[in-house]
Amino acid sequence: VMQCSASLDVLFLLDGSYSIGKGSFERSKHFAGKLCDALDIHPDRVHVGMIQFSSTPHLEFPLDSYLTKQEVKETIKRIVFRGGSTETARALKYILRKGFPGGRNSSVPEVLIIISDGKSQGGTVMPAMQVKERHITVFAVGIKFPRWEELHVLASEPTEQHVLFAGDANDAANGLYSTLTGSACSAIAPGCKVESHPCERRTLETVKELAGSYVCWRGSKQPNAVRASVCPFYRWKRVLIKYPSRCFRTVCPDPCDSEPCQNGGTCVPEGLDKYHCLCPVGYGGDVHCAPKLSLKCSVDLLFLVDSSAGVTLEGFLRYKAFLKRFLQAVMGQDSPMNVGVAQYDNNVRIPIEVGQHKDAFSLMKSIDALNFSGGGTLTGRALQYIAQHGFRTTPVLADVQDDLPHVVVLLTDSKSQDPVAEAAKYARDQDIFLIGVGSNLVGAELTEMTGNSKQTIVYSDPRDLFHRIPELQRRICSVDDPEGCQEQSLDLAFAVDASSGVGLENFLRLRSFVRSSCLRFSINRDVAQIALVIYGSKAHTVFALDTHTSNSAVLHAIDQVPFLGDSASAGSALLHIYGDVMTVQKGARPGVNKVVVVLTNGGGMEDAAAPAQQLRHNGILVFVVAIGDARKDKLLRVAGSPNYLVHLSSYEDLQYYQDLIIERICEEAKSPVNLCKPNPCMNQGVCILGPGSYRCECHGWEGPHCESRVVRGDSPRSPVLPPHSDVQWSPRSLPHFSRVPQHTKRH
């Protein structure tokens, strides 16, 4: 927002009469606050004061009362509507008599901003003229449905630059700035210019219109006689009238005009000279969306693309776009991988041999040249052919042993019309590492081919295919490192929707998913800690982070989890996790990454966005797994990013996504940690970071985490946290400590 920066006294004259009404008065206050955004309010620069007028003028605050923008805007919000008649002339005479209350000397320019509907009870021509003769610049702002001719009488010349409309607050604030830069304020920013543009003034006017005719009776020249006649019938009607006008605004060059974002990134301006880029998946290596992924693993990589009628021309073109986006994101100049592309329907072709292109540009041109064929879907035959002919060594290098891993990425969206199990096994027996990418319609068949659900990437919506780029990159390079994060420290909480919207049968599926997911972590005090929360209208902690110290104990506890069956509120579950699960007193460990996985059918998410943001702000990742037809925009607001949202059409598909979810969680477990997020200090203690450590600054409490109340007088002081102890909280939130039995293994 551009600001008028100068030594300037600005006085608001706010109409608080009954013709404005309380609703429009509140809008006037909002508008005055918007205009303050266009003023550089500071002790040495712009001063602001305000008078509310109705039957009599009332000084709300003088110009020398508040000298920061925040103070002025907060004070304006607190002003109370007074009501009365619209005595604009009396308010102007008050200014003529008393001047600008709290104003500076005569060398400081004075600006009067009148916000009114212009319907004054008395004549305003003379006092308005006298105010302007004192070299006071007058802006007239129309609110509600103004009487524009009266506002033009009040405003300085030229009137089109000094009459504003409060209906468009941002445009009016720009208009105020534009007019003041021509006189009182410093010059406009470099590259900016003041322009006029057509605009509209609106008002309500009462008009007389013919409603029709009716039979009426009139006197006759004949004695004792009347005659029938037709009389017109009129009614008064309020009509919205629009007057064309011209407004002024300052227009500046957009920092995004130079198109600084590369690789399909979207430029978002931030003020006059700053911007940031929203980068596609796989990009963001710098501020301009340079590729951020790379295939650092050395592999021979062959993409096997379904070109049959089952995927349609649209699907084939999507695969080509995906290939280009993926390879642009991961292929550096010194990339150690060799890439080829094959396509199949009834037959198999290898238009791009593995290792044929060493630079990304020529590879992209060859991918562009691929054509859709549209035959049958013989995936089994294609796998057999690729196993035999896909990785032939070129004659020149025939004497050099090719010992790079062979990776085939199958892209398909249609079920095979021939058997795939034998062909896929044959390919795997040839030491080919198979990865299947396709829609959830073919998820089961892809897992059958790859032989491992971890090597299957499925998506429910075709648009989600491009979000799978980082996952595919990890899958390809997992050829030498297939294991997850068994040794990574992590505090993990599952929030499971147990409402009637999910239903008992599907709840049991979600419970089974949590159970099998827990098997992928090494659960103990030093590595992974897991908590489980179920929720309906309220949230319930099944077990806290520090309740169980072994996988077997966690699995046994999960088997006992009950179904609730009432309405769902994901927001209350996330608030519960923030305040009652991810806390030091409930076993959360400072310096350990924290993740919340929400399993839901998408119901009850309306109140979840703000608590999810609060968790993220405190360093806790929120991962949303939604099953059903919930609106994606609502889910995204909770997840915060498409990378942390998995949206499935059916509960049966959960099994195909478990590896993806675990992998994302493991990635988070490896990211840097802020020891003070979430705050490990209790009782409003302040966490202060040191080099590789933190300390708690306590007020009225003591101990490493401010857990002991300071006792006044001669009483013995509360004990500090002893070694090997648990912090437990009573209903009064007073901490008491219990010594852990010696045989219990601790940190």
Side-chain angles (χ1 to χ4, degrees):
V1 175
M2 292 175 292
Q3 293 185 328
C4 174
S5 187
S7 187
L8 194 66
D9 282 350
V10 177
L11 181 64
F12 283 97
L13 199 56
L14 206 61
D15 188 343
S17 65
Y18 288 130
S19 68
I20 286 287
K22 194 170 188 313
S24 291
F25 181 74
E26 291 300 318
R27 283 192 286 276
S28 298
K29 285 163 53 179
H30 171 75
F31 176 76
K34 281 285 187 184
L35 290 192
C36 288
D37 288 333
L39 303 170
D40 187 10
I41 300 171
H42 186 274
D44 301 329
R45 294 185 280 278
V46 180
H47 288 193
V48 171
M50 182 168 282
I51 294 171
Q52 182 183 170
F53 73 94
S54 50
S55 304
T56 57
H58 173 80
L59 178 63
E60 296 291 352
F61 59 92
L63 287 145
D64 55 359
S65 288
Y66 305 106
L67 301 177
T68 69
K69 185 175 299 187
Q70 190 62 32
E71 288 177 326
V72 169
K73 292 180 75 170
E74 287 298 323
T75 307
I76 290 172
K77 284 180 185 176
R78 292 195 297 268
I79 290 174
V80 178
F81 175 66
R82 292 179 170 271
S85 56
T86 316
E87 300 288 350
T88 313
R90 183 177 289 182
L92 293 173
K93 288 172 184 173
Y94 175 92
I95 292 167
L96 287 168
R97 188 171 67 254
K98 297 200 172 186
F100 273 34
R104 289 168 282 187
N105 57 47
S106 57
S107 65
V108 176
E110 294 177 325
V111 175
L112 180 66
I113 301 176
I114 305 170
I115 304 178
S116 171
D117 61 1
K119 296 164 185 172
S120 177
Q121 255 70 50
T124 57
V125 176
M126 282 303 296
M129 186 173 68
Q130 290 169 333
V131 166
K132 287 179 277 192
E133 283 173 351
R134 291 198 183 180
H135 304 292
I136 296 171
T137 303
V138 182
F139 286 88
V141 181
I143 192 78
K144 207 174 180 182
F145 296 108
R147 191 169 290 161
W148 293 105
E149 60 274 14
E150 190 164 322
L151 294 176
H152 278 80
V153 168
L154 298 172
S156 294
E157 296 286 341
T159 53
E160 67 268 14
Q161 291 190 34
H162 292 84
V163 174
L164 307 172
F165 180 46
D168 190 338
N170 291 322
D171 214 36
N174 192 321
L176 174 76
Y177 170 85
S178 303
T179 302
L180 289 176
T181 49
S183 53
C185 304
S186 54
I188 59 174
C192 303
K193 57 179 186 274
V194 177
E195 290 181 352
S196 72
H197 64 99
C199 56
E200 281 184 342
R201 307 294 189 206
R202 293 174 295 177
T203 190
L204 278 177
E205 292 188 5
T206 305
V207 297
K208 182 180 177 182
E209 68 172 17
L210 180 65
S213 300
Y214 63 97
V215 177
C216 55
W217 304 94
R218 295 184 177 177
S220 171
K221 291 180 180 179
Q222 298 174 1
N224 303 322
V226 293
R227 65 184 179 86
S229 181
V230 177
C231 300
F233 170 65
Y234 294 95
R235 67 179 170 203
W236 297 96
K237 185 179 179 183
R238 301 195 79 190
V239 180
L240 181 67
I241 306 291
K242 296 179 181 179
Y243 300 99
S245 183
R246 293 205 74 75
C247 298
F248 289 79
R249 64 182 167 206
T250 300
V251 180
C252 300
D254 194 306
C256 291
D257 287 346
S258 61
E259 298 181 355
C261 304
Q262 304 160 0
N263 297 309
T266 303
C267 184
V268 180
E270 296 175 348
L272 296 177
D273 54 357
K274 294 180 181 175
Y275 62 88
H276 70 270
C277 295
L278 294 176
C279 303
V281 177
Y283 298 88
D286 64 10
V287 294
H288 296 123
C289 300
K292 72 173 178 181
L293 301 172
S294 63
L295 280 178
K296 294 188 171 71
C297 52
S298 298
V299 294
D300 283 343
L301 176 62
L302 179 65
F303 288 94
L304 179 58
V305 183
D306 187 348
S307 177
S308 69
V311 300
T312 71
L313 173 60
E314 181 187 2
F316 180 73
L317 294 176
R318 189 184 302 115
Y319 287 148
K320 282 175 60 173
F322 174 76
L323 277 180
K324 290 174 64 177
R325 177 76 62 82
F326 175 81
L327 292 169
Q328 283 172 330
V330 302
M331 270 191 83
Q333 287 185 343
D334 53 351
S335 176
M337 66 175 178
N338 301 309
V339 179
V341 180
Q343 61 181 105
Y344 75 94
D345 43 39
N346 296 317
N347 300 302
V348 189
R349 297 168 298 288
I350 308 179
I352 305 171
E353 297 277 355
V354 174
Q356 181 179 332
H357 298 288
K358 288 298 180 187
D359 66 288
F361 179 73
S362 61
L363 182 56
M364 295 307 125
K365 285 184 68 177
S366 296
I367 292 172
D368 279 332
L370 298 178
N371 292 315
F372 178 62
S373 50
T377 313
L378 301 185
T379 311
R381 180 176 177 178
L383 288 172
Q384 182 93 20
Y385 182 89
I386 290 302
Q388 294 169 346
H389 308 289
F391 296 93
R392 287 182 300 180
T393 308
T394 52
V396 178
L397 302 174
D399 56 335
V400 179
Q401 188 176 359
D402 180 9
D403 58 355
L404 292 183
H406 293 171
V407 179
V408 172
V409 177
L410 171 64
L411 287 165
T412 182
D413 209 12
S414 56
K415 290 190 175 181
S416 178
Q417 294 168 346
D418 65 343
V420 294
E422 284 298 320
K425 185 177 183 304
Y426 174 77
R428 295 197 301 271
D429 289 344
Q430 306 306 307
D431 290 329
I432 288 177
F433 186 71
L434 268 177
I435 298 171
V437 180
S439 74
N440 49 16
L441 296 172
V442 294
E445 187 172 88
L446 289 175
T447 302
E448 184 185 7
M449 285 186 268
T450 60
N452 185 345
S453 61
K454 289 187 71 172
Q455 290 160 230
T456 304
I457 301 173
V458 293
Y459 52 87
S460 52
D461 187 320
R463 289 169 295 186
D464 289 338
L465 173 62
F466 293 89
H467 293 303
R468 301 288 183 261
I469 287 174
E471 187 183 350
L472 178 58
Q473 180 243 4
R474 290 191 299 271
R475 291 279 186 271
I476 291 168
C477 284
S478 72
V479 62
D480 295 320
D481 180 26
E483 283 309 310
C485 56
Q486 285 286 328
E487 300 306 315
Q488 202 68 39
S489 294
L490 179 70
D491 284 347
L492 172 63
F494 287 96
V496 181
D497 187 343
S499 68
S500 56
V502 170
L504 176 58
E505 185 181 349
N506 291 327
F507 171 74
L508 294 175
R509 286 195 175 102
L510 294 180
R511 198 174 75 175
S512 173
F513 175 82
V514 173
R515 194 182 194 283
S516 60
S517 297
C518 290
L519 288 168
R520 307 285 284 276
F521 297 94
S522 178
I523 299 172
N524 59 61
R525 293 280 185 243
D526 300 318
V527 187
Q529 292 191 144
I530 293 181
L532 176 58
V533 171
I534 58 171
Y535 70 91
S537 56
K538 293 180 180 177
H540 307 271
T541 302
V542 178
F543 50 84
L545 287 167
D546 60 353
T547 304
H548 300 300
T549 57
S550 69
N551 287 67
S552 58
V554 166
L555 298 179
H556 179 71
I558 291 171
D559 290 339
Q560 314 304 314
V561 176
F563 176 60
L564 300 176
D566 56 353
S567 59
S569 171
S572 63
L574 292 176
L575 282 173
H576 175 79
I577 288 170
Y578 175 74
D580 206 47
V581 175
M582 290 293 187
T583 60
V584 169
Q585 56 266 45
K586 297 292 184 178
R589 297 165 294 175
V592 173
N593 275 299
K594 293 167 177 57
V595 178
V596 177
V597 178
V598 182
L599 294 161
T600 175
N601 72 336
M605 302 294 281
E606 297 78 13
D607 59 348
Q613 182 56 43
Q614 187 178 22
L615 285 164
R616 279 192 292 275
H617 180 71
N618 284 277
I620 303 168
L621 173 75
V622 178
F623 200 109
V624 178
V625 182
I627 303 100
D629 55 359
R631 282 179 50 185
K632 191 164 185 178
D633 56 337
K634 279 187 181 179
L635 300 173
L636 266 175
R637 280 197 290 273
V638 180
S641 161
N643 289 334
Y644 304 122
L645 171 63
V646 171
H647 192 188
L648 311 176
S649 57
S650 72
Y651 288 84
E652 289 78 7
D653 293 332
L654 266 173
Q655 57 180 316
Y656 304 124
Y657 282 84
Q658 187 167 44
D659 295 312
L660 164 69
I661 296 164
I662 300 296
E663 207 164 288
R664 295 261 172 91
I665 292 170
C666 292
E667 277 180 10
E668 187 63 24
K670 296 170 186 172
S671 60
V673 183
N674 183 335
L675 288 168
C676 285
K677 283 192 173 185
N679 185 6
C681 308
M682 307 177 201
N683 302 305
Q684 284 76 54
V686 179
C687 181
I688 297 171
L689 276 173
S693 65
Y694 69 92
R695 65 182 176 85
C696 290
E697 192 173 88
C698 310
H699 304 282
W701 298 78
E702 61 185 1
H705 294 118
C706 308
E707 65 279 349
S708 303
R709 187 184 291 279
V710 174
V711 181
R712 306 282 180 199
D714 298 327
S715 326
R717 293 168 66 84
S718 299
V720 297
L721 186 67
H724 309 307
S725 63
D726 282 332
V727 182
Q728 298 176 338
W729 289 83
S730 69
R732 293 173 180 266
S733 294
L734 294 175
H736 48 269
F737 305 97
S738 59
R739 181 76 64 176
V740 174
Q742 292 299 311
H743 64 270
T744 305
K745 186 179 177 183
R746 301 297 288 156
H747 309 284

